[in-house]
Amino acid sequence: MSVEYVRVVSLEERDLVTAAAVARRAGVGRAAVANWRKRYPDFPLPVSEAGSSALYSWQQVEKWLVTTGKADQLAASGRTSTGTQLLRDAGPDTDRDLSDLTAPELLARVMASVLPPLDDADEPAGHGPMVLDPAGVDGLLLGAVAERFGAQARLAGQVPDSHSAALVNASVRGVDLRVGRLIEEDLFADVAGKVRGVVCLPPQQKTWPSATLAADPRWRFGLPDPLDPDLAWVQACLALLSPRGVAVVAVSPVTAVRPSGRHVRDMLVRAGVLSAVIALPTGLTRDGEGATQLWVLEQREPGRGVAMIELSGLGDIRDVPLAYQVWRRLLEGGDPGVSRLVPTIELLDGETPLVPSRYVRRPVEPDPAELAAATERLRALYSDVGRALPQPVGRTGPALGDVVTIAELERSRALTLLPRDAEPRAGDILFRTMNREPVVATGTAADDRGVAQVIGVEPDRLDPYFFALFVRADALAAPVVNTHSALTRDDVRRCRVPRLPIAEQRRYGEAYRRLLELGRVATQLATVTGAVAAQTSYGLTTGALDPSALTPRETITTETAENEKRTT
């Protein structure tokens, strides 16, 4: 971890921080902080849980770290005789595992990494370069900027309300923060044309008040349509930039193609202020769903073209670059596989579509031999799956018999309803949110997703897979009225399973386990099949493959599938 300066934080000072800031100050990942909350009842409770972000007292957290002996994990340089803690400024946290980051946190880091290095050659004496977030709501963007530039950047931001201001102040200190209606109140008009860097993740809104703001001088490149709020934000960020400034703005992909925004896009391209369009992979967004683009904007001379960078095909959002040196090469069109510097005249073709995939084509065409080998392997695997399909056999023994509720099994100590935040063990039963079926815990990180209730079973009295198989009917049929679509403890206690000997339970459990495995394999095969089909389609469009070689040996249609249903 790089060290640029030392900050003194008094233990007596009230200091609210987010969980992410706790991790950053303690020098650990967010997963470690989450584990402390789960496993240690004495870990400090949040001071505030308004909205979706909890705030903690750093004074209480730091005291807990010292008391429990975890203080050696702090990014600390020692203690003074007066009881103050010397904390080094958290520079670029290169050691932190990216798997600890949520999609919004990773997006913030990506946006900060696109900004070029800062220097204060043109700044007034005593003033560092300003980096501003004009649409702050949680401090993630400014926190990422602080992690990258440290004390070198002078941070500023506008937030819509006091709660957002508290979140920003909890994430990063020393921000020139102003509260007012976003886009409607231009609270940084006093620094327009003087800001070195702007990072902006516009609020998710379908319209913006174009009629009431029509006379605003920020719309130099045309008044955006009411349905194009992102184009208003792009121009608002441009108005703030100094002659050497750079803005990175996240916009919806529809902004790049919607006909109502063509005139603004056309003007941005003609003026040369749009220097790059970066298509990010699906999931790297504010909410972890959908897709987004980054528009890089500069006050520069026209005629330099636009760098189109196509990263939407990356399989993992954590493969997106986080180093400016990489971005610089991509911004110069230095990687033909994913980037290209497109001349201005090529972009002005009527609708001015700013879609990187339209201008960047993969230089490597599919290899027919490799695709043929992959296809043959898929045929063999599908044959194996076909042989693994169950052969239904009618039950000839006695009926399943009586049922017993989970409440009765709990009283007999055959199972235990554990606290919701209990660490699941392999073999526990997990009732999940969003009305999903119960599953058997695997003892891995996958168990942490959407857990509503945890049941610990005694394996010598209850087979976990038998239990999960039979309890799912009642669990999925139970009426759920809460916002998380999750069963309550009382709902769970009413669920029933047959009363069977443990040997018979294990027969059912093994059969269900095999069915689950078959389902997982089938899902993976479907994914691989889709990839092969996509590669083959791409080979047809590039001329690498001839359609005459793709005549199927047997055609399966929806009509065929319906006939199969009727005969079974």
Side-chain angles (χ1 to χ4, degrees):
M1 181 178 293
S2 63
V3 178
E4 295 184 4
Y5 73 100
V6 175
R7 181 176 56 182
V8 180
V9 180
S10 169
L11 286 176
E12 285 75 29
E13 177 185 353
R14 182 173 176 81
D15 188 0
L16 297 183
V17 292
T18 61
V22 169
R24 188 163 57 248
R25 294 186 181 194
V28 298
R30 288 183 72 248
V33 177
N35 285 335
W36 290 343
R37 292 181 60 187
K38 283 184 177 181
R39 297 178 179 177
Y40 299 99
D42 59 339
F43 186 81
L45 295 174
V47 175
S48 168
E49 289 190 281
S52 59
S53 299
L55 298 178
Y56 298 85
S57 165
W58 173 246
Q59 175 185 0
Q60 296 175 8
V61 173
E62 186 183 38
K63 182 178 179 181
W64 180 84
L65 289 166
V66 173
T67 303
T68 58
K70 297 183 181 295
D72 57 344
Q73 297 179 25
L74 288 172
S77 60
R79 291 186 176 276
T80 69
S81 58
T82 59
T84 57
Q85 175 72 51
L86 299 176
L87 293 177
R88 300 185 187 276
D89 173 62
D93 191 0
T94 56
D95 295 331
R96 185 172 168 192
D97 186 353
L98 292 182
S99 63
D100 290 340
L101 299 178
T102 63
E105 290 173 328
L106 186 59
L107 175 61
R109 284 200 174 191
V110 168
M111 293 177 67
S113 70
V114 177
L115 291 175
L118 300 177
D119 65 69
D120 55 5
D122 299 333
E123 302 296 331
H127 291 80
M130 175 180 283
V131 180
L132 190 151
D133 176 6
V137 291
D138 51 21
L140 288 183
L141 276 178
L142 289 178
V145 171
E147 286 185 348
R148 179 173 176 205
F149 296 113
Q152 190 179 10
R154 184 161 49 102
L155 303 180
Q158 181 168 335
V159 293
D161 50 47
S162 58
H163 174 63
S164 296
L167 292 177
V168 174
N169 282 324
S171 296
V172 60
R173 294 296 176 180
V175 181
D176 177 3
L177 208 57
R178 305 178 189 182
V179 180
R181 295 190 304 276
L182 300 182
I183 204 69
E184 297 180 60
E185 297 183 70
D186 185 10
L187 299 185
F188 281 95
D190 58 312
V191 296
K194 303 176 183 178
V195 179
R196 180 66 65 80
V198 175
V199 285
C200 180
L201 188 58
Q204 295 175 318
Q205 56 192 72
K206 294 183 178 179
T207 62
W208 74 289
S210 60
T212 58
L213 296 176
D216 195 302
R218 289 176 289 178
W219 324 132
R220 288 173 47 205
F221 304 97
L223 178 67
D225 187 271
L227 294 176
D228 290 311
D230 284 353
L231 292 178
W233 280 105
V234 163
Q235 295 190 71
C237 293
L238 266 168
L240 293 166
L241 291 182
S242 69
R244 297 177 57 203
V246 173
V248 181
V249 186
V251 304
S252 167
V254 74
T255 303
V257 296
R258 183 182 276 130
S260 59
R262 184 202 62 79
H263 67 291
V264 176
R265 295 195 300 271
D266 186 273
M267 288 299 296
L268 291 172
V269 171
R270 290 180 186 276
V273 295
L274 179 63
S275 62
V277 176
I278 304 169
L280 296 177
T282 300
L284 193 54
T285 59
R286 184 196 297 274
D287 57 6
E289 298 180 359
T292 194
Q293 291 182 348
L294 299 183
W295 286 14
V296 184
L297 306 140
E298 302 177 68
Q299 301 283 13
R300 60 177 192 161
E301 295 296 323
R304 293 176 56 185
V306 179
M308 291 290 172
I309 302 174
E310 173 55 53
L311 301 178
S312 62
L314 292 178
D316 189 336
I317 61 175
R318 290 164 183 80
D319 290 336
V320 176
L322 289 173
Y324 178 72
Q325 292 82 353
V326 179
W327 285 117
R328 181 175 179 178
R329 186 175 71 250
L330 295 177
L331 292 168
E332 294 172 351
D335 191 338
V338 294
S339 67
R340 178 185 167 215
L341 193 59
V342 182
T344 300
I345 191 64
E346 188 175 338
L347 296 168
L348 303 175
D349 68 345
E351 293 297 330
T352 316
L354 302 179
V355 182
S357 61
R358 181 182 178 125
Y359 307 97
V360 180
R361 295 186 70 86
R362 288 173 285 186
V364 180
E365 295 182 342
D367 185 315
E370 290 183 0
L371 274 176
T375 302
E376 286 301 322
R377 178 60 179 154
L378 278 175
R379 287 195 185 99
L381 290 173
Y382 273 111
S383 178
D384 292 342
V385 170
R387 288 192 294 271
L389 287 173
Q391 180 63 45
V393 178
R395 182 179 173 87
T396 58
L400 289 178
D402 297 335
V403 294
V404 58
T405 65
I406 289 181
E408 294 175 80
L409 292 171
E410 183 182 23
R411 285 193 293 270
S412 67
R413 301 185 184 278
L415 56 79
T416 305
L417 267 69
L418 302 173
R420 180 180 174 182
D421 59 354
E423 192 75 20
R425 302 168 302 173
D428 287 348
I429 307 299
L430 306 179
F431 285 77
R432 301 187 295 173
T433 57
M434 306 308 295
N435 203 33
R436 292 172 293 181
E437 63 185 45
V439 297
V440 179
T442 60
T444 67
D447 295 338
D448 295 334
R449 293 196 289 268
V451 175
Q453 305 293 341
V454 182
I455 294 182
V457 301
E458 295 298 327
D460 57 340
R461 300 179 61 185
L462 283 173
D463 180 88
Y465 284 95
F466 157 81
F467 187 88
L469 168 64
F470 281 98
V471 82
R472 64 195 293 273
D474 281 351
L476 295 177
V480 176
V481 296
N482 54 55
T483 56
H484 296 291
S485 298
L487 270 64
T488 66
R489 294 172 78 85
D490 288 338
D491 293 330
V492 170
R493 288 187 172 101
R494 285 191 285 268
C495 293
R496 302 160 299 172
V497 297
R499 197 190 301 270
L500 293 177
I502 187 64
E504 188 69 0
Q505 290 181 33
R506 286 172 180 156
R507 286 184 63 228
Y508 277 95
E510 178 62 17
Y512 184 46
R513 189 189 64 77
R514 288 179 178 274
L515 285 174
L516 291 175
E517 184 62 29
L518 180 63
R520 282 190 288 268
V521 171
T523 300
Q524 292 168 1
L525 274 175
T527 301
V528 176
T529 302
V532 169
Q535 284 289 305
T536 304
S537 300
Y538 180 70
L540 289 173
T541 62
T542 61
L545 300 177
D546 188 279
S548 63
L550 301 174
T551 303
R553 301 176 183 178
E554 182 178 351
T555 301
I556 300 178
T557 65
T558 53
E559 183 180 352
T560 305
E562 289 299 322
N563 290 337
E564 287 293 327
K565 287 182 184 178
R566 286 192 288 268
T567 57
T568 57

